[in-house]
Structures are given as structure tokens and as C-alpha cells.
Amino acid sequence: MTTSPRHKRSKVIWVEVALVLILCLYLQSGLAGDQTAHANPIVTIEDQSTQQQLITVDLIVNGDYLVTMEPDSPVITNGAVAIKDGVIIAVGLASEISGQYSSKQVLAGDQRIVMPGLINGHSHAAMTLLRGVAEDLTLMDWLNNFIFPAEVEFVDADFVRIGAELACWEMIRGGTTTFVDMYYFPDETAKVVERCGMRAMIATTVIDQPSPDAKNAADAIQNGLAYIERWKEKNSRITPIFGPHASYTLNAEQLKTVHDAAKKAGVGVTMHMSESPFELEYSQNTYGKTSIEMLDSIGFLDPPVIAAHVVWPTAVEIPILVKRKVGVINNPTSNMKIASGIAPIVDMLDAGVRVGLGTDGAASNNDLDMWEEMRLAALSQKVAKMDPKVLPARTVLNMATLGGAQAIGLDKSIGSLRVGKRADLIQVSTEDVHFVPMYDVISHLIYVADEQDVASVIVDGRILMRDHDMLTIDTERVRSEANALAARIQKALYERQATIPEKQ
């Protein structure tokens, strides 16, 4: 049967009406569904994890490797550290840290090793201005005929300020975050450290002779007490301490007085100790005992003591160092340059002595490069013992980080990448050719890395150097002031030399 055109059009209209009704119902149900979803949303566990709010921190530091110096987690591959209020709050895989924390400041980790900042356990910071002034001399000749006279003539507060700034620039550039200093006008060094952001234990020097900031030992002690009072609670990064020079520049009574003053003030002491054969001979002739035995006999080793050098301890004295918990600071470059000797570091470590590393002053080193100290410490001990297995890379790295912190009494707060410790850490660049290939990260840090490889430095959570750019020191001003002062010193030395008759 044939359908008429009119009937066909009517059928199409009804179909169109039906489609419109269906569309309206669909839209209405969709709108209702949207309203229900907004009123009572359904969120899966996966949705919850992606919507979880990240914890905001001040800084995140990434690295291809994290050398934590913690015994239970020495090296983490592709790791990161989260920092807030100057404290390490998380250490772990970079993926885990980025999944829990966010920060406006992030240091990328490509071709970077993250590790604790280096600890220079013995220095005379301002002596950077006497770098190279007297060379190739024995210790006592160097001190008595060159350094002591030069200090009396040239060292004042401005000298110390400029020299300390130069030293901090050099130390930051090389990855040192903490140093122990002994020099004159300690207030000036403390102010420099306060400004540049480093951490330091700064000693007021006590010596029984006219010095740049005191008439004699008694005057130096009184000045020191006033300095300690000014700085003891002023800045958490700065620890004021006493710095008696040595047992041959102070007598036993004066050393007792320093001990009592330090104990009363509640501060520690740093001192040159058992540094040279001369010191041992002097002590034996004067007191009938070697220097460490003499110091122990007068009770000097009771307060926290940081002993610089300790090149010539006897078999009797090493157990004393252990018993008194004396921190020993090995200075291999300076000790070899002045031919003081090679300290028995392996023997002291085996006995349980706390041993760290230091550069000594730039006048006897002649730089403040802790990477060089680590390498020379390892090599000198291997030669001294004729055993390549002694003082392996990890042990030496510990001496410059956690072990160094233990030697100076700060291991509860610095020295390793551990949650709760202060955020003192560095990034070492592996971009240089001498890092290719790299089979063992810690081995490369000791036997390959040098100060120019340090890329970024953080102290107390504050970035002091970022990708080799110094942020807290006006380096051009310091360079200009240091060169100007050095020119005046050199002119005076030339004029003095001209008045000395030539030897026939």
C-alpha cells in the first residue's frame, strides 16, 4: 500500500517531538546530577592523594646523590632535603620530598652531590692578609722572627675585619660552613660572621706578650671575658670561647687562670697543643712532663677543649685525650709545610680520640681549602703507616663533617643530614671532567673534588652561595680593601728590609 506525502510529514513531526522531549529529560537529569554532585561529591582515594595539600617549606635542595654521613643511610640516590626555619625537616628520595613538600626556593639536583657542610676545626681567619709573607721556615723561626713582629706592627681591628671577610669568602667558596677561629680582636671576626651567615666558634687569644689587642696575658683574659659576655647569647651561629695560644707562650699559672675563667663563663677552649718537637722539649725541661701530661696535671683539660695539631702525643698521652674527651684537629698541610711532623691520626682514631680537620691560618698553609686537607690527611697517613688501607675515604670525610662536629662539640646540631639538625649543607658540582666516570661518590669527594667544585652553600637554612654566585659578601669590595692593605704591608716590609745591613 502506498503512503501519502502528508502522512509521511506527520510521522516526521512526531519523531522530532519525541526527540525534543528526550533531550529535555536528559538535560534535566544532568542538571539534577550536577547539583547532587556538588552537594555530596564522591571522591576516590586516588582523588584524595592528588588533592592533598603540600607542606610549605623555606627551601628544598636536590641532588643526584645525598651523602648524609648518617651510619644507617650514608648515600641516597636522587635525593632531596626539605628545610624550614633553618632546620632539616625531611631527608629522602626526591620523589618523596616533592610529593609532600613545596617551596618557592628549590635548588635543582642535576649533576649535584648534596652533603653536610665542611667543618674547619682550626684557623686564624684574618691571617689571610699575611698569606705568603714568610715562607720555608721552621715553626719557631716563622713565629718569633716574622709573624709575631708583623702582627704587632700591622694588626688592628680593621685588619681583622678585612682579613676575616677575605677568609669567609674563601671558606664559603670552598664549602666550609663552620670554622673554629683563634685571633685578635674577636669582636670584629664575630661581626663578619654575623653578616656573612657562616657558623663559627671564635676564640679570644691569650698570650703572655704584648699583642695587637692586649698588653699581656692578664689583660687578654679580662678583655676575653668582656668579649664572651657580649657574644654569648647574641647569635646562635656564633660561639665565643677562649684561645690560650700554647703551653710555651703561657706558664702553668696563667693556663690555670684561663681554665678557671672559661669554666666560670661556661665556655670552651681551643689551643695549640703538642705541635712541634720544640714544644715537647720545652715542656719536659720546664715541667718535667710532656705538654699534654702537664696540662692534664693542672686540670686544664676539664672544660671542653679543642686541641689543634697534636702531632707529637706520646703513648701515655693518647689515653688522656680519650678520657678527657679532647677534640683533636689535624692540620696536615700546615704541619708538613713547617715540617712539624705527621700526626698519628690512625693511632688516635683507633684509641677513640675525637678527630677533626683544619687548615690552620693562611700564613702557614697557604689557603683555607678543606678538600686539600682531606686528601693530604688520607695520603700522609698511608705513607706514615706504609699501608694504603688506613684512613679510607669515608673515615676522612667523616673527619671533615660529623667527626669534626664531634671534635668541636657541635655534633648534636650539625655534621650530618639528619632531621632535626641545623640546615648546614652544600651542593658539589660533578660537571667537571675529573668526575667522569664516577664509580664511588665518597671516593671521588676525597680523591677528586676540590674547592672550585662547590656550587651552592647553605647555613642555617640560608643560601650563602648559589651556583657559584656569592650572595652575602661584597667580594669586589673585599678584594679591593685586602689588596690596598697588603700594599701598605709590603711597602713597610721593603723599607724595613732596606735598613738591614747586607751580610758580607
Side-chain angles (χ1 to χ4, degrees):
M1 188 172 83
T2 304
T3 306
S4 69
R6 183 176 180 182
H7 187 268
K8 286 181 179 179
R9 283 196 303 273
S10 176
K11 192 175 181 179
V12 169
I13 290 171
W14 280 110
V15 169
E16 289 174 346
V17 169
L19 289 173
V20 170
L21 289 172
I22 291 169
L23 181 60
C24 289
L25 290 170
Y26 175 80
L27 291 173
Q28 186 177 1
S29 64
L31 181 60
D34 284 346
Q35 291 171 342
T36 304
H38 286 300
N40 186 23
I42 299 173
V43 182
T44 65
I45 293 175
E46 184 178 355
D47 291 334
Q48 287 179 330
S49 64
T50 56
Q51 292 179 13
Q52 180 180 354
Q53 187 174 2
L54 298 178
I55 299 169
T56 301
V57 296
D58 299 326
L59 176 64
I60 295 175
V61 183
N62 295 280
D64 291 335
Y65 301 95
L66 248 62
V67 179
T68 68
M69 298 313 295
E70 283 290 304
D72 57 344
S73 179
V75 179
I76 299 172
T77 303
N78 294 323
V81 179
I83 298 164
K84 188 174 179 62
D85 298 328
V87 176
I88 296 172
I89 66 167
V91 178
L93 295 173
S95 58
E96 295 175 349
I97 299 298
S98 64
Q100 298 177 50
Y101 302 94
S102 67
S103 177
K104 292 181 180 179
Q105 286 198 103
V106 177
L107 296 185
D110 294 341
Q111 295 184 297
R112 296 289 187 265
I113 300 169
V114 178
M115 60 175 285
L118 303 178
I119 297 169
N120 186 345
H122 179 61
S123 69
H124 309 285
M127 291 184 81
T128 49
L129 291 173
L130 297 176
R131 192 192 324 257
V133 78
E135 302 287 23
D136 305 320
L137 302 166
T138 63
L139 174 63
M140 300 316 296
D141 185 15
W142 180 78
L143 278 175
N144 293 326
N145 297 321
F146 294 89
I147 297 303
F148 287 158
E151 288 176 331
V152 169
E153 184 172 355
F154 301 117
V155 174
D156 57 17
D158 206 40
F159 177 105
V160 173
R161 175 188 63 79
I162 297 168
E165 284 186 305
L166 185 61
C168 289
W169 172 12
E170 184 175 351
M171 285 191 281
I172 293 170
R173 195 275 306 268
T176 293
T177 53
T178 297
F179 67 102
V180 179
D181 198 58
M182 177 199 292
Y183 210 57
Y184 309 106
F185 299 101
D187 287 277
E188 295 304 316
T189 303
K191 285 185 279 190
V192 168
V193 170
E194 187 174 45
R195 289 193 300 270
C196 79
M198 291 187 74
R199 191 179 306 279
M201 302 178 78
I202 302 171
T204 174
T205 299
V206 181
I207 191 168
D208 191 28
Q209 62 189 39
S211 66
D213 64 354
K215 300 173 184 177
N216 50 38
D219 190 29
I221 292 169
Q222 290 306 309
N223 292 344
L225 285 169
Y227 152 73
I228 289 167
E229 182 66 25
R230 285 191 294 273
W231 284 93
K232 193 174 179 186
E233 304 293 338
K234 189 173 182 181
N235 189 305
S236 61
R237 291 182 287 103
I238 298 169
T239 304
I241 57 176
F242 267 107
H245 180 264
S247 61
Y248 55 84
T249 52
L250 293 164
N251 61 40
E253 193 59 40
Q254 291 165 334
L255 288 167
K256 285 181 184 178
T257 304
V258 174
H259 164 273
D260 293 344
K263 198 166 185 178
K264 184 177 180 180
V267 300
V269 166
T270 185
M271 177 179 175
H272 301 100
M273 198 177 296
S274 195
E275 181 177 2
S276 67
F278 165 81
E279 181 181 332
L280 266 66
E281 183 180 359
Y282 175 89
S283 184
Q284 195 72 53
N285 292 340
T286 306
Y287 302 108
K289 300 175 182 178
T290 50
S291 54
I292 294 174
E293 283 187 282
M294 184 277 290
L295 291 167
D296 189 48
S297 71
I298 63 173
F300 184 84
L301 303 179
D302 284 347
V305 173
I306 303 168
H309 302 294
V310 193
V311 181
W312 297 96
T314 66
V316 173
E317 290 175 326
I318 290 177
I320 294 173
L321 297 172
V322 177
K323 182 179 179 181
R324 302 301 183 196
K325 299 180 180 179
V326 173
V328 169
I329 305 300
N330 181 216
N331 303 268
T333 302
S334 178
N335 292 157
M336 287 191 283
K337 186 169 185 284
I338 301 179
S340 294
I342 298 176
I345 299 303
V346 173
D347 295 341
M348 286 192 278
L349 285 171
D350 288 346
V353 178
R354 304 172 180 186
V355 183
L357 283 171
T359 60
D360 207 350
S364 65
N365 185 298
N366 289 15
D367 57 36
L368 305 177
D369 184 355
M370 284 291 291
W371 303 95
E372 185 176 70
E373 300 307 322
M374 287 190 278
R375 190 151 44 248
L376 288 178
L379 300 180
S380 63
Q381 293 300 304
K382 294 175 192 299
V383 169
K385 289 290 186 180
M386 289 305 292
D387 183 355
K389 297 186 294 297
V390 302
L391 216 65
R394 170 149 186 119
T395 301
V396 180
L397 190 59
N398 188 68
M399 289 167 61
T401 54
L402 183 56
Q406 290 169 338
I408 67 173
L410 295 182
D411 53 300
K412 294 288 193 298
S413 57
I414 61 172
S416 64
L417 303 184
R418 182 177 179 179
V419 173
K421 286 193 172 185
R422 305 306 300 182
D424 293 8
L425 59 155
I426 62 176
Q427 280 187 323
V428 179
S429 169
T430 58
E431 295 171 272
D432 193 89
V433 64
H434 62 199
F435 277 97
V436 181
M438 185 165 62
Y439 300 112
D440 185 316
V441 176
I442 292 178
S443 169
H444 270 57
L445 287 172
I446 299 303
Y447 299 120
V448 171
D450 59 39
E451 59 182 355
Q452 283 83 13
D453 293 316
V454 177
S456 299
V457 175
I458 299 102
V459 177
D460 230 32
R462 179 188 181 191
I463 302 174
L464 309 188
M465 181 173 76
R466 182 167 190 160
D467 292 329
H468 305 283
D469 183 19
M470 196 73 60
L471 303 179
T472 63
I473 295 176
D474 182 349
T475 56
E476 289 309 308
R477 175 185 58 76
V478 173
R479 186 193 300 275
S480 176
E481 290 184 338
N483 283 333
L485 183 51
R488 295 202 301 272
I489 293 172
Q490 191 170 40
K491 182 174 183 292
L493 291 175
Y494 280 152
E495 290 174 352
R496 181 194 301 165
Q497 189 69 27
T499 65
I500 300 174
E502 291 186 13
K503 291 182 179 180
Q504 299 297 324

